[in-house]
Amino acid sequence: VAPVQACHEVKSRIISEGFASLPAQSLQWSVDVAVLAEAVLTLERHGWPATFLAIYDEAWAMALDATEVMKEATGNSLCMDIVAFHVHPLHNKGFSPHRDRQPEDWVPKGVPAETSATFKSDGMAKYVTLWAALTDATPENSCLHFLPKSIDPGYSAGDPDEGDPMMRIFQDKSAYQHIRSAPVAAGGCTFHTHRTIHWGSRGVAAASIQPRIALSFGFSDEEFEPPYFSPKALPFPELKLRAALVAAQVLNYATLAAGDQEGWSALAGAMASCDGAQLRLLHRTFQAQAKRFHRTYQKEITTKFVSVSMNLAPGRTLQAAAADDAGEQGKQAAAPALVGRKEKRKSKRAKREAVIPAAPGADSDDDDDALQAMLDAETTHGEVLFHDDFDMLNSRADSQGNTRAPKALRKTARAKKKLRHR
């Protein structure tokens, strides 16, 4: 797929800077990337997200090719974190600056909190993304941009509990000159680690600008992030397993909608404005094959599904709810992953406590599915993943000096109690 020497150069760059790239002429994919790009456009015309590209054999053939490159360059294995993006600057952009993983992501998997534990002895990261351009990626249509680890104090040492990591980096004008733009032609690819701050530029909002379509594959050390399902299912997983994965991946990224609506739109396409019924469809598709997925991934998807669906008022879409949240928060521009660690912990705690509906008239189907998912997950994993409603009701009532909790909260508690006694 790629010359051994080119892979070794990629390895050196990843270790020294946190990212690298390979031009299209250095890669020989076994599939035509133009065909994959056209498939994304076809999917979106029919209302499906770009990530549903992983339903097709060609995407898995490309994953197999990418595995050869990454084995030589990083030694990591495909973990099934597969996501596709369709950016058209007239309508959206790539995600805002962020890191792919923080301690809150790896500690639940049994990895020590210290950032040093996420790197191998030779300096290679235990998680690296291969981002393949299916169309030309340029600054005009939101190609990726990176910050070298040499100017990023949080890359190796970790981010502080307070403050924005970006503000630590850009303390003077000269720091901005370290930003690296990474344009690649169709068929080329970039690489970045879980700690590399990266983002997609805001492109030129003109009809003449062609869209940027890309397919990314996550590769990890299995002790850091286990494969989402058994590698024995590779190279071409059966259709039901593929469908479960792509449904789960959309749910997995849905919580980002509140912090970056346009980035979420590039990932979810028409489904960016999904409602409770569509969220339930995605979750049920995953649940049909859930036992075939790793326990940590099952927990992650359940948590994301509950946190998103239980805060969605009846008749509201995810994108509309995200717009409301953005308005309430003063339309903060920073991506969720780049707030301080303490603020991120608060955000995650709020999501876990999202068993309280946003509106008293919340749709009963949404309630039942989310509540049942909570109970099933806690039973399966033998641990409390969500705060109990009754504890929250008591603490909420006490803090407000009331003896009786609000009607909406009482309704949720009754629903959860009923489900527990079925």
Side-chain angles (χ1 to χ4, degrees):
V1 180
V4 172
Q5 182 59 38
C7 292
H8 290 173
E9 290 175 3
V10 165
K11 178 177 182 177
S12 177
R13 288 285 300 278
I14 291 174
I15 292 174
S16 64
E17 296 195 289
F19 61 91
S21 64
L22 277 179
Q25 56 266 32
S26 295
L27 293 154
Q28 294 184 338
W29 303 106
S30 60
V31 293
D32 185 347
V33 296
V35 172
L36 287 169
E38 184 58 37
V40 168
L41 296 176
T42 301
L43 283 166
E44 296 222 337
R45 282 196 296 270
H46 289 82
W48 298 107
T51 296
F52 275 52
L53 184 63
I55 288 287
Y56 300 103
D57 286 351
E58 287 81 357
W60 292 98
M62 197 169 192
L64 187 61
D65 293 341
T67 297
E68 290 187 30
V69 175
M70 292 297 268
K71 182 178 180 180
E72 194 69 45
T74 70
N76 293 341
S77 303
L78 182 67
C79 71
M80 320 306 167
D81 188 0
I82 301 175
V83 185
F85 304 89
H86 176 204
V87 174
H88 199 301
L90 274 175
H91 310 294
N92 53 33
K93 60 176 181 56
F95 277 116
S96 300
H98 65 283
R99 303 190 197 278
D100 284 344
R101 298 292 186 274
Q102 290 279 31
E104 292 81 2
D105 300 305
W106 65 70
V107 169
K109 297 178 175 70
V111 180
E114 294 76 19
T115 305
S116 59
T118 69
F119 291 88
K120 303 177 185 179
S121 58
D122 64 354
M124 176 55 65
K126 293 183 179 179
Y127 186 98
V128 179
T129 296
L130 184 152
W131 187 95
L134 304 184
T135 60
D136 293 347
T138 70
E140 287 74 28
N141 69 2
S142 194
C143 71
L144 293 188
H145 290 66
F146 301 103
L147 292 180
K149 77 172 192 179
S150 60
I151 66 158
D152 179 4
Y155 181 92
S156 300
D159 297 314
D161 284 346
E162 305 284 354
D164 184 344
M166 294 287 279
M167 299 303 294
R168 298 177 69 200
I169 296 169
F170 296 114
Q171 295 186 19
D172 57 63
K173 294 180 180 179
S174 63
Y176 290 93
Q177 294 178 297
H178 290 280
I179 295 173
R180 304 280 186 83
S181 176
V184 286
C189 65
T190 64
F191 308 79
H192 63 271
T193 81
H194 63 301
R195 298 299 297 166
T196 307
I197 294 178
H198 60 287
W199 64 92
S201 58
R202 181 175 289 282
V204 178
S208 59
I209 301 298
Q210 295 300 306
R212 183 264 273 174
I213 301 175
L215 180 60
S216 73
F217 304 94
F219 288 80
S220 66
D221 182 296
E222 292 189 12
E223 292 184 358
F224 173 71
E225 186 158 316
Y228 296 168
F229 57 76
S230 173
K232 292 179 181 179
L234 298 174
F236 297 101
E238 63 179 291
L239 182 59
K240 289 181 180 179
L241 192 56
R242 300 183 200 184
L245 175 66
V246 296
Q249 284 293 84
V250 175
L251 288 173
N252 201 14
Y253 285 84
T255 52
L256 299 180
D260 193 343
Q261 294 177 63
E262 290 180 278
W264 161 243
S265 174
L267 185 150
M271 204 168 274
S273 57
C274 64
D275 58 15
Q278 289 172 304
L279 289 173
R280 293 198 307 274
L281 175 62
L282 291 171
H283 186 250
R284 288 173 180 174
T285 302
F286 172 67
Q287 281 298 104
Q289 299 290 315
K291 291 182 179 179
R292 302 180 65 180
F293 286 81
H294 195 275
R295 288 169 61 88
T296 57
Y297 189 68
Q298 291 181 42
K299 288 167 60 175
E300 185 171 11
I301 298 307
T302 297
T303 303
K304 299 288 181 64
F305 169 65
V306 170
S307 68
V308 172
S309 63
M310 289 299 286
N311 272 332
L312 205 57
R316 297 286 284 167
T317 67
L318 187 57
Q319 205 162 38
D324 292 344
D325 289 344
E328 292 175 4
Q329 297 170 7
K331 296 184 179 179
Q332 296 178 357
L338 278 182
V339 296
R341 286 179 56 193
K342 179 181 283 187
E343 287 89 342
K344 188 174 182 185
R345 284 197 294 271
K346 289 178 181 177
S347 173
K348 283 180 172 285
R349 184 164 60 250
K351 290 171 184 174
R352 287 196 297 270
E353 293 174 354
V355 294
I356 303 171
D363 181 83
S364 60
D365 288 339
D366 293 348
D367 287 355
D368 284 355
D369 271 38
L371 290 167
Q372 189 63 61
M374 284 190 289
L375 299 179
D376 290 345
E378 290 181 349
T379 299
T380 299
H381 300 288
E383 59 181 297
V384 176
L385 302 177
F386 306 92
H387 289 274
D388 188 83
D389 289 290
F390 299 102
D391 293 338
M392 287 194 294
L393 291 176
N394 291 334
S395 63
R396 186 72 60 86
D398 291 342
S399 66
Q400 295 177 353
N402 299 325
T403 58
R404 198 168 189 225
K407 181 179 179 181
L409 306 187
R410 297 199 307 274
K411 175 190 172 185
T412 307
R414 287 196 301 270
K416 194 172 181 182
K417 183 178 181 181
K418 183 176 74 171
L419 284 170
R420 277 181 169 150
H421 288 85
R422 281 180 179 173

mmCIF file of all heavy atoms in Angstrom, residues 37-61:
data_model
loop_
_atom_site.group_PDB
_atom_site.id
_atom_site.type_symbol
_atom_site.label_atom_id
_atom_site.label_comp_id
_atom_site.label_asym_id
_atom_site.label_seq_id
_atom_site.Cartn_x
_atom_site.Cartn_y
_atom_site.Cartn_z
ATOM 1 N N ALA A 37 -16.150 8.370 -2.385
ATOM 2 C CA ALA A 37 -16.658 9.739 -2.237
ATOM 3 C C ALA A 37 -18.059 9.856 -2.827
ATOM 4 O O ALA A 37 -18.953 10.477 -2.240
ATOM 5 C CB ALA A 37 -15.705 10.732 -2.907
ATOM 6 N N GLU A 38 -18.269 9.252 -3.973
ATOM 7 C CA GLU A 38 -19.589 9.292 -4.608
ATOM 8 C C GLU A 38 -20.608 8.540 -3.757
ATOM 9 O O GLU A 38 -21.775 8.939 -3.676
ATOM 10 C CB GLU A 38 -19.513 8.689 -5.999
ATOM 11 C CG GLU A 38 -20.822 8.760 -6.787
ATOM 12 C CD GLU A 38 -21.343 10.175 -6.959
ATOM 13 O OE1 GLU A 38 -20.537 11.103 -7.140
ATOM 14 O OE2 GLU A 38 -22.594 10.366 -6.875
ATOM 15 N N ALA A 39 -20.177 7.467 -3.114
ATOM 16 C CA ALA A 39 -21.082 6.707 -2.244
ATOM 17 C C ALA A 39 -21.553 7.560 -1.075
ATOM 18 O O ALA A 39 -22.713 7.484 -0.654
ATOM 19 C CB ALA A 39 -20.384 5.450 -1.736
ATOM 20 N N VAL A 40 -20.651 8.392 -0.509
ATOM 21 C CA VAL A 40 -21.035 9.293 0.582
ATOM 22 C C VAL A 40 -22.107 10.272 0.113
ATOM 23 O O VAL A 40 -23.097 10.514 0.809
ATOM 24 C CB VAL A 40 -19.800 10.055 1.120
ATOM 25 C CG1 VAL A 40 -20.229 11.202 2.036
ATOM 26 C CG2 VAL A 40 -18.869 9.110 1.867
ATOM 27 N N LEU A 41 -21.925 10.814 -1.088
ATOM 28 C CA LEU A 41 -22.924 11.757 -1.620
ATOM 29 C C LEU A 41 -24.262 11.058 -1.835
ATOM 30 O O LEU A 41 -25.328 11.634 -1.569
ATOM 31 C CB LEU A 41 -22.415 12.349 -2.934
ATOM 32 C CG LEU A 41 -21.143 13.198 -2.836
ATOM 33 C CD1 LEU A 41 -20.695 13.647 -4.231
ATOM 34 C CD2 LEU A 41 -21.357 14.401 -1.937
ATOM 35 N N THR A 42 -24.227 9.821 -2.301
ATOM 36 C CA THR A 42 -25.463 9.058 -2.505
ATOM 37 C C THR A 42 -26.160 8.784 -1.174
ATOM 38 O O THR A 42 -27.387 8.934 -1.049
ATOM 39 C CB THR A 42 -25.161 7.729 -3.221
ATOM 40 O OG1 THR A 42 -24.542 8.010 -4.483
ATOM 41 C CG2 THR A 42 -26.440 6.930 -3.441
ATOM 42 N N LEU A 43 -25.388 8.396 -0.173
ATOM 43 C CA LEU A 43 -25.955 8.163 1.155
ATOM 44 C C LEU A 43 -26.640 9.424 1.684
ATOM 45 O O LEU A 43 -27.758 9.363 2.207
ATOM 46 C CB LEU A 43 -24.850 7.735 2.134
ATOM 47 C CG LEU A 43 -24.366 6.292 2.043
ATOM 48 C CD1 LEU A 43 -23.061 6.118 2.819
ATOM 49 C CD2 LEU A 43 -25.431 5.328 2.586
ATOM 50 N N GLU A 44 -25.982 10.541 1.530
ATOM 51 C CA GLU A 44 -26.536 11.779 2.073
ATOM 52 C C GLU A 44 -27.780 12.231 1.312
ATOM 53 O O GLU A 44 -28.689 12.809 1.895
ATOM 54 C CB GLU A 44 -25.469 12.875 2.089
ATOM 55 C CG GLU A 44 -24.319 12.530 3.030
ATOM 56 C CD GLU A 44 -23.849 13.703 3.863
ATOM 57 O OE1 GLU A 44 -24.081 14.847 3.449
ATOM 58 O OE2 GLU A 44 -23.245 13.457 4.934
ATOM 59 N N ARG A 45 -27.812 11.945 0.023
ATOM 60 C CA ARG A 45 -29.028 12.281 -0.733
ATOM 61 C C ARG A 45 -30.228 11.503 -0.219
ATOM 62 O O ARG A 45 -31.369 11.946 -0.349
ATOM 63 C CB ARG A 45 -28.819 11.996 -2.229
ATOM 64 C CG ARG A 45 -28.014 13.058 -2.958
ATOM 65 C CD ARG A 45 -28.168 12.934 -4.467
ATOM 66 N NE ARG A 45 -27.638 11.686 -4.979
ATOM 67 C CZ ARG A 45 -26.374 11.524 -5.384
ATOM 68 N NH1 ARG A 45 -25.519 12.524 -5.306
ATOM 69 N NH2 ARG A 45 -25.974 10.354 -5.858
ATOM 70 N N HIS A 46 -29.975 10.344 0.384
ATOM 71 C CA HIS A 46 -31.053 9.515 0.917
ATOM 72 C C HIS A 46 -31.211 9.675 2.422
ATOM 73 O O HIS A 46 -31.926 8.904 3.074
ATOM 74 C CB HIS A 46 -30.809 8.045 0.566
ATOM 75 C CG HIS A 46 -30.998 7.736 -0.892
ATOM 76 N ND1 HIS A 46 -30.023 7.968 -1.834
ATOM 77 C CD2 HIS A 46 -32.069 7.242 -1.570
ATOM 78 C CE1 HIS A 46 -30.478 7.620 -3.028
ATOM 79 N NE2 HIS A 46 -31.704 7.167 -2.906
ATOM 80 N N GLY A 47 -30.543 10.680 2.993
ATOM 81 C CA GLY A 47 -30.744 11.008 4.396
ATOM 82 C C GLY A 47 -29.882 10.258 5.387
ATOM 83 O O GLY A 47 -30.148 10.295 6.595
ATOM 84 N N TRP A 48 -28.823 9.587 4.918
ATOM 85 C CA TRP A 48 -27.970 8.813 5.820
ATOM 86 C C TRP A 48 -26.633 9.523 6.030
ATOM 87 O O TRP A 48 -26.107 10.165 5.124
ATOM 88 C CB TRP A 48 -27.721 7.415 5.261
ATOM 89 C CG TRP A 48 -28.972 6.607 5.105
ATOM 90 C CD1 TRP A 48 -29.615 6.288 3.944
ATOM 91 C CD2 TRP A 48 -29.759 6.039 6.164
ATOM 92 N NE1 TRP A 48 -30.736 5.549 4.207
ATOM 93 C CE2 TRP A 48 -30.863 5.377 5.562
ATOM 94 C CE3 TRP A 48 -29.644 6.019 7.556
ATOM 95 C CZ2 TRP A 48 -31.828 4.716 6.300
ATOM 96 C CZ3 TRP A 48 -30.609 5.352 8.300
ATOM 97 C CH2 TRP A 48 -31.685 4.706 7.674
ATOM 98 N N PRO A 49 -26.041 9.375 7.218
ATOM 99 C CA PRO A 49 -24.751 10.019 7.509
ATOM 100 C C PRO A 49 -23.609 9.434 6.677
ATOM 101 O O PRO A 49 -23.668 8.278 6.237
ATOM 102 C CB PRO A 49 -24.533 9.720 9.005
ATOM 103 C CG PRO A 49 -25.868 9.338 9.539
ATOM 104 C CD PRO A 49 -26.595 8.692 8.403
ATOM 105 N N ALA A 50 -22.570 10.216 6.517
ATOM 106 C CA ALA A 50 -21.400 9.763 5.760
ATOM 107 C C ALA A 50 -20.780 8.509 6.377
ATOM 108 O O ALA A 50 -20.265 7.649 5.667
ATOM 109 C CB ALA A 50 -20.359 10.883 5.692
ATOM 110 N N THR A 51 -20.846 8.386 7.704
ATOM 111 C CA THR A 51 -20.252 7.235 8.388
ATOM 112 C C THR A 51 -20.887 5.911 7.968
ATOM 113 O O THR A 51 -20.262 4.845 8.092
ATOM 114 C CB THR A 51 -20.351 7.422 9.919
ATOM 115 O OG1 THR A 51 -19.565 8.575 10.266
ATOM 116 C CG2 THR A 51 -19.842 6.226 10.690
ATOM 117 N N PHE A 52 -22.102 5.958 7.423
ATOM 118 C CA PHE A 52 -22.736 4.735 6.940
ATOM 119 C C PHE A 52 -22.004 4.153 5.733
ATOM 120 O O PHE A 52 -22.355 3.089 5.233
ATOM 121 C CB PHE A 52 -24.214 4.991 6.612
ATOM 122 C CG PHE A 52 -25.108 4.874 7.825
ATOM 123 C CD1 PHE A 52 -24.830 5.572 8.986
ATOM 124 C CD2 PHE A 52 -26.228 4.062 7.803
ATOM 125 C CE1 PHE A 52 -25.643 5.471 10.111
ATOM 126 C CE2 PHE A 52 -27.055 3.942 8.917
ATOM 127 C CZ PHE A 52 -26.750 4.645 10.076
ATOM 128 N N LEU A 53 -20.956 4.841 5.301
ATOM 129 C CA LEU A 53 -20.084 4.306 4.254
ATOM 130 C C LEU A 53 -19.493 2.960 4.692
ATOM 131 O O LEU A 53 -19.195 2.093 3.857
ATOM 132 C CB LEU A 53 -18.955 5.305 3.972
ATOM 133 C CG LEU A 53 -17.980 4.970 2.851
ATOM 134 C CD1 LEU A 53 -18.701 4.912 1.506
ATOM 135 C CD2 LEU A 53 -16.856 6.001 2.809
ATOM 136 N N ALA A 54 -19.343 2.777 6.010
ATOM 137 C CA ALA A 54 -18.767 1.534 6.531
ATOM 138 C C ALA A 54 -19.715 0.352 6.413
ATOM 139 O O ALA A 54 -19.382 -0.750 6.839
ATOM 140 C CB ALA A 54 -18.330 1.717 7.988
ATOM 141 N N ILE A 55 -20.869 0.554 5.814
ATOM 142 C CA ILE A 55 -21.760 -0.561 5.477
ATOM 143 C C ILE A 55 -21.183 -1.349 4.291
ATOM 144 O O ILE A 55 -21.403 -2.553 4.157
ATOM 145 C CB ILE A 55 -23.169 -0.032 5.109
ATOM 146 C CG1 ILE A 55 -23.888 0.482 6.370
ATOM 147 C CG2 ILE A 55 -23.996 -1.096 4.414
ATOM 148 C CD1 ILE A 55 -24.356 -0.617 7.311
ATOM 149 N N TYR A 56 -20.414 -0.665 3.446
ATOM 150 C CA TYR A 56 -19.974 -1.241 2.174
ATOM 151 C C TYR A 56 -18.607 -1.919 2.264
ATOM 152 O O TYR A 56 -17.729 -1.512 3.027
ATOM 153 C CB TYR A 56 -19.946 -0.152 1.099
ATOM 154 C CG TYR A 56 -21.290 0.479 0.867
ATOM 155 C CD1 TYR A 56 -21.596 1.739 1.378
ATOM 156 C CD2 TYR A 56 -22.286 -0.201 0.149
ATOM 157 C CE1 TYR A 56 -22.844 2.315 1.182
ATOM 158 C CE2 TYR A 56 -23.535 0.364 -0.045
ATOM 159 C CZ TYR A 56 -23.810 1.621 0.478
ATOM 160 O OH TYR A 56 -25.047 2.179 0.289
ATOM 161 N N ASP A 57 -18.416 -2.943 1.440
ATOM 162 C CA ASP A 57 -17.159 -3.695 1.414
ATOM 163 C C ASP A 57 -15.960 -2.800 1.127
ATOM 164 O O ASP A 57 -14.877 -3.007 1.678
ATOM 165 C CB ASP A 57 -17.216 -4.789 0.341
ATOM 166 C CG ASP A 57 -18.090 -5.969 0.746
ATOM 167 O OD1 ASP A 57 -18.519 -6.029 1.918
ATOM 168 O OD2 ASP A 57 -18.344 -6.838 -0.121
ATOM 169 N N GLU A 58 -16.153 -1.818 0.237
ATOM 170 C CA GLU A 58 -15.027 -0.977 -0.171
ATOM 171 C C GLU A 58 -14.393 -0.241 1.014
ATOM 172 O O GLU A 58 -13.171 -0.042 1.060
ATOM 173 C CB GLU A 58 -15.479 0.029 -1.233
ATOM 174 C CG GLU A 58 -15.733 -0.579 -2.605
ATOM 175 C CD GLU A 58 -17.102 -1.243 -2.718
ATOM 176 O OE1 GLU A 58 -17.848 -1.296 -1.705
ATOM 177 O OE2 GLU A 58 -17.439 -1.724 -3.821
ATOM 178 N N ALA A 59 -15.222 0.166 1.979
ATOM 179 C CA ALA A 59 -14.680 0.849 3.161
ATOM 180 C C ALA A 59 -13.808 -0.097 3.977
ATOM 181 O O ALA A 59 -12.752 0.298 4.513
ATOM 182 C CB ALA A 59 -15.816 1.396 4.019
ATOM 183 N N TRP A 60 -14.215 -1.364 4.068
ATOM 184 C CA TRP A 60 -13.437 -2.344 4.834
ATOM 185 C C TRP A 60 -12.191 -2.788 4.069
ATOM 186 O O TRP A 60 -11.173 -3.134 4.676
ATOM 187 C CB TRP A 60 -14.329 -3.527 5.211
ATOM 188 C CG TRP A 60 -15.371 -3.101 6.195
ATOM 189 C CD1 TRP A 60 -16.664 -2.756 5.941
ATOM 190 C CD2 TRP A 60 -15.172 -2.907 7.598
ATOM 191 N NE1 TRP A 60 -17.298 -2.364 7.097
ATOM 192 C CE2 TRP A 60 -16.406 -2.462 8.134
ATOM 193 C CE3 TRP A 60 -14.095 -3.074 8.459
ATOM 194 C CZ2 TRP A 60 -16.574 -2.164 9.485
ATOM 195 C CZ3 TRP A 60 -14.255 -2.782 9.810
ATOM 196 C CH2 TRP A 60 -15.483 -2.340 10.311
ATOM 197 N N ALA A 61 -12.271 -2.747 2.746
ATOM 198 C CA ALA A 61 -11.065 -3.017 1.953
ATOM 199 C C ALA A 61 -10.038 -1.920 2.210
ATOM 200 O O ALA A 61 -8.836 -2.191 2.326
ATOM 201 C CB ALA A 61 -11.423 -3.095 0.468
#
